[in-house]
Amino acid sequence: MTDRRTFLKIAGLAPLARFGAMNAYASAAVSPNYKALVCIFMFGGNDGNNMIVPGPGTSEFKNYQTIRGSIALPDANATLVGMNITAKNGTPYALNDGLKLVLPLWASGQLAAVANVGLLVQPTTQAQYQATITGGSAVPLPTNLFSHSDQQVQMQAGIPSSSASTGWAGRVADAVASQNAGTSFPPSVSVSGPALFSKGNIVQSASLIPGFNMQLNGFSTWQPAVGQARQAQYQNILTFNSGLTMIQAADKVRQDAVSLSNMLASLPPASPFTRPFPQTTIGQQLLQVAQIMQLQPSIGLNRQIFFASLGGFDTHSGQSWQQFSLLQQLADAMLSLYSATNDLGIAGQVTQFTESEFGRTLQPSGSGCDHGWGNHHLVLGGAVKGGDLYGRYPEMALGGPDDCLSNSNPSTPARGAWLPSTSIDQFAATLGKWFGVDMTNPAVTATVFPSLAAFTSQGLPATLGFMG
């Protein structure tokens, strides 16, 4: 196995001229054993209630319109015309018009939805939740529910505590580490800056921001020997064993980021992708993901995990136009990445999916809505059993069985904050099983998905069936 010092010399800190051979590999076919997960985190709390709505003309849609009032779809900025979809059981739904670009993938079977997903410690009913928050001890609950910062940590971690030190995808990467034997390159990459989601107990995440150049300056000098001496000293600093865990980890992240940045710079300037990536934040992040996938023949990884993000979903006001615009950006970027995976011949080996810290209340507050809990998510890829909605879509009723708040408790009046019917553990385990996690080994599942046993022990499925 290549040691770190040799790897850095070859891939990270050497002059770019040494990457000529990598260009040939980058144009080679990606391995048929390769698989990748791509998380797109919607920071701010995407309003799932206006991303996937009941089918127009149904009684549930009428209830939805009555409760949502001025922010219900359709309105002047987001019409449901032509956005109708149908689940395999015949139930009609509709997507927000901002998702128009990916709508055809529902019919062709690459796009699915998963309803009412959220963080839970164990299966929880409305009565149990109400008993717990009013001073009882019916069930344990995630800490600091409805808090942006806490729920962002917990949804990335898959752990109902804000003190988690690993992400669920990082632990997935740990569990399939044998698939990447023989390569020193980081299998987990965030293109949105540092992300807990990508960090494992063993696997460390490389972190990049598209457009931020991590290549080293000051190493090409008039006298080459001077630059070479500087480079050698810098390498010594990064590889020096200080004995301090945090410093060693930080140095490793820096090494990986510099290495990856230089490898990306070595790619030919002409894009091999037939569909241009949009010049948006999420578009450029997913372009970077596609370019890293293009490098697979040279870095040798068979399993990769990516974290990307799009912010702005904290829609307490101006939601109709704001969410529509953000979903347009999301759909445009996701379609470009799906197209790129087709170009690379790996459409069935790459799965994109959304996450967000929480959903939002069905009952609006002015031109927006407040923090909720359960939320709906999209899954896209050639291995997805698309054209269907998985999980249980909530009943459009304030104080109904899916509302964690209750009109019987004056201190927490019902507002349509959905009590999750599907745990993030089940959602993650479905993706993890497809990725190669051994779901038959209780020790593995207990480490990767710590709360999953609380659901399977009550007869609920460990996985949801949306992956082939």
Side-chain angles (χ1 to χ4, degrees):
M1 181 181 295
T2 303
D3 62 32
R4 182 187 298 178
R5 190 177 297 271
T6 304
F7 174 75
L8 289 170
K9 181 178 179 182
I10 295 173
L13 301 175
L16 292 183
R18 296 189 182 181
F19 288 97
M22 286 189 177
N23 286 333
Y25 284 107
S27 62
V30 177
S31 168
N33 296 321
Y34 177 79
K35 285 186 178 182
L37 292 173
V38 183
C39 175
I40 304 169
F41 202 97
M42 299 183 285
F43 281 105
N46 174 52
D47 179 23
N49 289 317
N50 267 18
M51 184 173 77
I52 304 170
V53 303
T58 64
S59 59
E60 280 292 272
F61 184 74
K62 292 176 182 177
N63 292 341
Y64 155 82
Q65 281 193 310
T66 299
I67 296 169
R68 292 235 101 177
S70 62
I71 69 168
L73 301 180
D75 62 17
N77 299 303
T79 173
L80 293 179
V81 174
M83 296 302 294
N84 292 343
I85 57 175
T86 305
K88 293 287 177 65
N89 65 4
T91 305
Y93 300 95
L95 298 179
N96 188 296
D97 192 48
L99 297 171
K100 184 177 292 184
L101 285 173
V102 295
L103 177 65
L105 297 177
W106 183 277
S108 59
Q110 292 81 44
L111 178 67
V114 186
N116 200 12
V117 179
L119 193 77
L120 289 167
V121 181
Q122 64 179 60
T124 304
T125 66
Q126 183 195 64
Q128 289 173 324
Y129 174 81
Q130 287 292 321
T132 302
I133 65 172
T134 54
S137 57
V139 291
L141 297 172
T143 59
N144 299 322
L145 281 169
F146 314 112
S147 158
H148 282 293
S149 58
D150 293 284
Q151 298 304 292
Q152 286 166 8
V153 168
Q154 293 179 35
M155 284 295 285
Q156 290 183 53
I159 294 173
S161 165
S162 303
S163 59
S165 60
T166 60
W168 70 256
R171 297 192 301 274
V172 164
D174 287 343
V176 300
S178 62
Q179 296 277 354
N180 291 324
T183 176
S184 300
F185 197 84
S188 184
V189 177
S190 169
V191 292
S192 181
L196 177 65
F197 175 85
S198 310
K199 185 180 181 301
N201 290 302
I202 302 169
V203 167
Q204 296 297 313
S205 172
S207 168
L208 287 179
I209 298 176
F212 183 76
N213 192 343
M214 288 293 293
Q215 296 177 50
L216 301 173
N217 295 321
F219 292 89
S220 297
T221 60
W222 180 253
Q223 293 180 319
V226 175
Q228 292 168 5
R230 290 180 180 175
Q231 182 171 300
Q233 291 301 319
Y234 184 73
Q235 182 173 331
N236 286 335
I237 291 171
L238 289 181
T239 58
F240 176 70
N241 186 359
S242 66
L244 301 174
T245 302
M246 292 184 65
I247 292 177
Q248 296 293 113
D251 285 346
K252 179 64 167 63
V253 170
R254 173 70 178 181
Q255 292 165 18
D256 291 339
V258 171
S259 301
L260 181 53
S261 182
N262 283 341
M263 293 178 77
L264 290 170
S266 76
L267 288 172
S271 170
F273 307 126
T274 55
R275 188 180 197 276
F277 280 78
Q279 295 295 316
T280 57
T281 298
I282 188 61
Q284 292 306 291
Q285 288 180 27
L286 295 191
L287 170 59
Q288 191 105 95
V289 168
Q291 290 172 328
I292 296 171
M293 290 176 180
Q294 189 187 355
L295 289 168
Q296 190 276 336
S298 64
I299 60 181
L301 290 170
N302 286 319
R303 294 291 184 273
Q304 278 191 293
I305 289 171
F306 298 92
F307 180 86
S309 70
L310 179 62
F313 288 95
D314 193 15
T315 49
H316 288 279
S317 62
Q319 176 171 294
S320 294
W321 63 267
Q322 187 175 349
Q323 187 191 32
F324 171 75
S325 175
L326 291 169
L327 292 179
Q328 269 192 321
Q329 295 176 47
L330 177 73
D332 197 0
M334 291 181 76
L335 181 59
S336 288
L337 181 56
Y338 178 70
S339 176
T341 62
N342 269 312
D343 294 334
L344 295 171
I346 54 172
Q349 298 163 242
V350 177
T351 301
Q352 306 176 60
F353 59 95
T354 63
E355 275 200 32
S356 193
E357 59 260 44
F358 45 58
R360 306 189 80 83
T361 58
L362 183 64
Q363 185 182 67
S365 53
S367 61
C369 46
D370 294 325
H371 301 178
W373 192 354
N375 205 354
H376 314 318
H377 293 291
L378 303 175
V379 188
L380 171 62
V384 175
K385 293 182 179 179
D388 205 0
L389 182 141
Y390 295 83
R392 185 167 57 81
Y393 195 84
E395 182 181 321
M396 298 288 104
L398 302 184
D402 297 305
D403 192 347
C404 70
L405 305 176
S406 169
N407 285 321
S408 63
N409 184 353
S411 64
T412 59
R415 299 203 56 200
W418 305 134
L419 181 64
S421 53
T422 296
S423 166
I424 186 62
D425 295 82
Q426 295 168 290
F427 181 78
T430 309
L431 294 163
K433 180 181 179 181
W434 171 79
F435 201 60
V437 175
D438 182 3
M439 298 297 295
T440 66
N441 187 329
V444 171
T445 55
T447 299
V448 181
F449 312 113
S451 298
L452 188 62
F455 298 86
T456 57
S457 65
Q458 296 195 32
L460 296 174
T463 59
L464 305 172
F466 59 78
M467 296 301 299

